[in-house]
Amino acid sequence: MASQEAAPRAYIGSFTTAQGPGITVARIDDRTGPGALTTPRTAVVDTALVNPSYLAFSPTRDVLYAVSETGEGAVAAFSLAADPDRPEPLGAPVPVRGDGPTHLALAADGRRLFTANYGSGSVSALPLDDSAGAPGAPTTVLPHHGNGPVPDRQSAPHAHAVVPDPSGRWLLAVDLGTDSVWISALDATTGDPVPHHETALRPGTGPRTLVFHPRGHRAYVLNELDPTLTVCRWDAASGTLEPLGETRVVPPGTDGPPVHPSTPVISPDGRFLWTANRGDDTLSVLALDADGDRPELRATVDCGGHWPRHLTAHGGVLYAANERSGDVTWFTVEPGTGIPRRAGAIAVPAASCVVFA
């Protein structure tokens, strides 16, 4: 087994306005069980970084980026080179010229950092310094336009996620407010997104985020306002996203409060797709056919806490960031069925995201 000094680390974002600690770090210690996490400790002591609710790494995984999900949104960058347990700020947080950024992603070539700004319904592109990877002021801000049929959630655009496609040529922005996915081409010279096409989804579904099939030919859009997964054909040659069908991610007639799915995760072999579902506090298991066109809901299991805002996988183990119960819970996965089995948890107040390096 690798030494604890070299063990993979989990970086956990949280809402500081809900008494979260900001960014914390824990290590994987398999001596206490597959994927088990150690007690986390505060990694970033920076009172200026409010609500680092979503995190992402540079392509080389030596820089950690965080949104600041506030009315005057910003991003921050931290070097992991000197001490991965104590990320070093690469300057002050940089405004994104958008409100309430909820998600960020890096271009495959490392030239641009993209944010989805929920409050303003826009996407920002920030240049990254060639040497250290620090972000600069946005070079492009793309506003979305439109609304949807759910008045209290869709009166205006609400960009919720930005996802580069596997080819590295396109950027897909999922907008909950407009019931659509906005596709931009990434300029080969500048790296900035250039508007290309808007793909409409079923009105009122409230798309939140998406994940690509490992083969890159399908994209799965997880909807927040209606607990469904929309299967789409993706054509990287033309930048075309075509909806093919929908699958419910909770059983019909599920009792209790409304269900608001948050995050999809797909297995590396493309056999299973899992979703985290807030409201009924479950994880769903969907089996995929060989083409990936017909997800089938196989089971739902308890998420181990309350309000699973984020779900991720590392080393064959699933990790749920349960925001309202304040914990990160992990699950081993049965290889034949894809069903998660709770294996442990650590306390992280207002946990919102977990990523691994």
Side-chain angles (χ1 to χ4, degrees), residues 101-140:
T102 55
H103 193 264
L104 52 75
L106 278 291
D109 60 12
R111 290 192 296 169
R112 289 291 186 273
L113 175 67
F114 307 108
T115 66
N117 309 316
Y118 183 86
S120 54
S122 60
V123 169
S124 299
L126 294 85
L128 298 177
D129 177 80
D130 288 339
S131 57
T139 51
T140 300

Side-chain angles (χ1 to χ4, degrees), residues 100-318:
T102 55
H103 193 264
L104 52 75
L106 278 291
D109 60 12
R111 290 192 296 169
R112 289 291 186 273
L113 175 67
F114 307 108
T115 66
N117 309 316
Y118 183 86
S120 54
S122 60
V123 169
S124 299
L126 294 85
L128 298 177
D129 177 80
D130 288 339
S131 57
T139 51
T140 300
V141 178
L142 299 179
H144 294 175
H145 306 281
N147 52 35
V150 183
D152 61 334
R153 297 295 308 276
Q154 296 185 309
S155 61
H158 293 301
H160 209 298
V162 281
V163 183
D165 90 306
S167 76
R169 297 172 52 197
W170 308 94
L171 183 71
L172 286 74
V174 184
D175 196 300
L176 184 150
T178 63
D179 288 319
S180 59
V181 178
W182 299 70
I183 302 167
S184 297
L186 296 179
D187 187 275
T189 302
T190 67
D192 282 331
V194 178
H196 172 68
H197 182 68
E198 179 189 3
T199 297
L201 303 180
R202 180 167 61 84
T205 52
R208 179 181 174 93
T209 187
L210 66 79
V211 64
F212 282 97
H213 191 281
R215 287 164 52 193
H217 69 308
R218 297 290 181 266
Y220 302 94
V221 181
L222 186 61
N223 302 308
E224 177 173 333
L225 302 186
D226 186 56
T228 53
L229 185 78
T230 303
V231 181
C232 301
R233 178 182 292 112
W234 172 246
D235 184 348
S238 61
T240 302
L241 188 72
E242 178 190 357
L244 300 176
E246 293 180 11
T247 299
R248 284 184 59 85
V249 299
V250 293
T254 297
D255 295 328
V259 177
H260 302 295
S262 63
T263 314
V265 173
I266 194 166
S267 61
D269 60 7
R271 293 177 57 216
F272 299 107
L273 188 148
W274 300 275
T275 72
N277 310 309
R278 298 161 299 169
D280 69 345
D281 293 334
T282 61
L283 306 182
S284 296
V285 184
L286 294 96
L288 300 178
D289 63 316
D291 293 327
D293 290 344
R294 293 175 294 278
E296 179 185 346
L297 179 63
R298 291 287 179 83
T300 59
V301 301
D302 191 281
C303 74
H306 181 31
W307 210 252
R309 184 179 177 90
H310 185 246
L311 183 68
T312 192
H314 179 80
V317 177
L318 289 173

